[in-house]
Amino acid sequence: VSSNPADASLDPWRTAITNSDDTGIWYRGYDVATLMRTSSFAEVVFLLHHGRIPTAGERRLIDAILIAVADHGPGAPSAVAMRTVATGNRQAPEAAIAAGVLAIGDAHGGAGLACLKIIGEALDRAKSDGQSLAEAADQVARDAAATRRRLPGFGHRTHSTDPRTVTLLQLAREERLAGPGVEFVVALERAVGDRIKPLPMNVDGAIAGVLYDLGFPPLVGKLIFIVGRVAGLGAQLVEEYTRERPMRVKVPVAYDGPAPRPLTEPEIA
Ligand SMILES: CC(C)(COP(=O)(O)OP(=O)(O)OC[C@H]1O[C@@H](n2cnc3c(N)ncnc32)[C@H](O)[C@@H]1OP(=O)(O)O)[C@@H](O)C(=O)NCCC(=O)NCCS
């Protein structure tokens, strides 16, 4: 392998995830044909990211996350973006799906990433400062209140209780996989209620707590949402193409700029 940067294009791309030859494909060393016969999609998502086959409980939690985020109707920002593109460009489903994915971010579907960072930092600080979990959560809520920062993983436009959160946390406890991550987000929900205002933990917050306990890094908090939501966006795309008219989205517009006016000589010059 060359160490000369000029030869970089000749260097092989390193990967520890997937390998293949003329007749075989292996994910993390496991034969894809065997995985196809014996595993679920959720298990393979876990395997690809974590490098090992999950236990039955871990698989159940990943499955539950993927199901929880699979769809939330046409009003979710990613679905609005997808349908807006699909209504104007009916020849490129991939463009509409890509537009939907691009709408996933800090406010919609991607809050798990930032929430996982907060959990990790707060739990590290709690350990080094000898804080209890409740004290660490209270400090995060107090800091957010003082700086008027929105805490990722809390609040929802439509749910006063997010049914996905309730179920996911229950499942984590049933499977005996709820650890400091889950306990921290529960403590943070309480502290947010005390220090800011009662805000429900949303599905991104619950996913962050569970993924922390399963040993995933923050990035996966957003990536797993994308993996799941593409299923719902795809179904909605087919519905849009087959049931709706082209160019059906008509956004009401209120113009409040200048009235029509002549272009004067100095302006033309
Ligand atoms: C999801 C979200 C966009 C909903 O926003 P919304 O409909 O405007 O929220 P509400 O009407 O319930 O509440 C608005 C007020 O509560 C506050 N608030 C809402 N969510 C908050 C949060 N996560 N942390 C702190 N304060 C929050 C707002 O600052 C606002 O206060 P203000 O009126 O003084 O400006 C919002 O809760 C949010 O930004 N959450 C964090 C991002 C997140 O987790 N997104 C994933 C959603 S599944």
Side-chain angles (χ1 to χ4, degrees):
V1 175
S2 165
S3 57
N4 181 353
D7 295 338
S9 63
L10 303 176
D11 293 344
W13 287 10
R14 294 184 304 162
T15 182
I17 300 171
T18 298
N19 196 16
S20 61
D21 65 14
D22 184 35
T23 56
I25 304 170
W26 295 266
Y27 297 163
R28 298 285 191 180
Y30 294 104
D31 177 22
V32 77
T34 310
L35 292 170
M36 286 165 69
R37 288 183 189 283
T38 58
S39 297
S40 71
F41 179 63
E43 276 177 308
V44 171
V45 171
F46 186 102
L47 170 68
L48 288 169
H49 279 280
H50 235 332
R52 65 173 174 82
I53 302 282
T55 64
E58 288 168 335
R59 183 205 56 74
R60 192 160 176 228
L61 294 186
I62 297 296
D63 232 339
I65 290 171
L66 292 170
I67 293 167
V69 303
D71 201 24
H72 206 269
S78 51
V80 172
M82 182 281 290
R83 284 187 184 254
T84 304
V85 171
T87 194
N89 177 355
R90 295 167 70 86
Q91 304 296 325
E94 66 280 14
I97 297 293
V101 171
L102 290 176
I104 293 170
D106 56 342
H108 165 54
L113 191 165
C115 190
L116 261 157
K117 279 190 184 157
I118 288 174
I119 297 170
E121 286 164 10
L123 291 179
D124 287 351
R125 207 174 38 239
K127 199 180 272 175
S128 61
D129 296 1
Q131 273 179 325
S132 72
L133 219 115
E135 286 166 344
D138 191 60
Q139 186 180 336
V140 170
R142 253 187 299 130
D143 290 350
T147 53
R148 298 190 60 77
R149 219 166 20 90
R150 289 190 178 206
L151 275 174
F154 295 87
H156 204 279
R157 283 193 309 183
T158 41
H159 303 299
S160 58
T161 298
D162 191 326
R164 303 163 296 183
T165 296
V166 175
T167 307
L168 190 55
L169 298 188
Q170 268 170 7
L171 283 172
R173 293 200 171 106
E174 278 168 33
E175 298 294 345
R176 302 192 180 286
L177 288 169
V182 164
E183 298 319 325
F184 180 80
V185 284
V186 169
L188 187 52
E189 186 179 36
R190 209 171 299 128
V192 164
D194 292 343
R195 299 285 181 184
I196 303 172
K197 67 176 203 174
L199 288 167
M201 187 196 316
N202 59 47
V203 72
D204 289 356
I207 288 172
V210 168
L211 289 184
Y212 182 88
D213 291 336
L214 295 183
F216 284 99
L219 271 176
V220 179
K222 187 180 278 186
L223 295 175
I224 202 154
F225 186 97
I226 295 171
V227 171
R229 184 53 61 95
V230 166
L233 289 175
Q236 289 197 51
L237 176 119
V238 174
E239 183 178 68
E240 182 68 33
Y241 276 7
T242 53
R243 286 210 332 201
E244 307 298 343
R245 294 183 310 119
M247 290 283 281
R248 78 177 172 99
V249 175
K250 287 190 190 132
V251 176
V253 174
Y255 176 75
D256 62 359
R261 52 185 165 161
L263 204 53
T264 54
E265 286 294 330
E267 283 169 326
I268 292 170

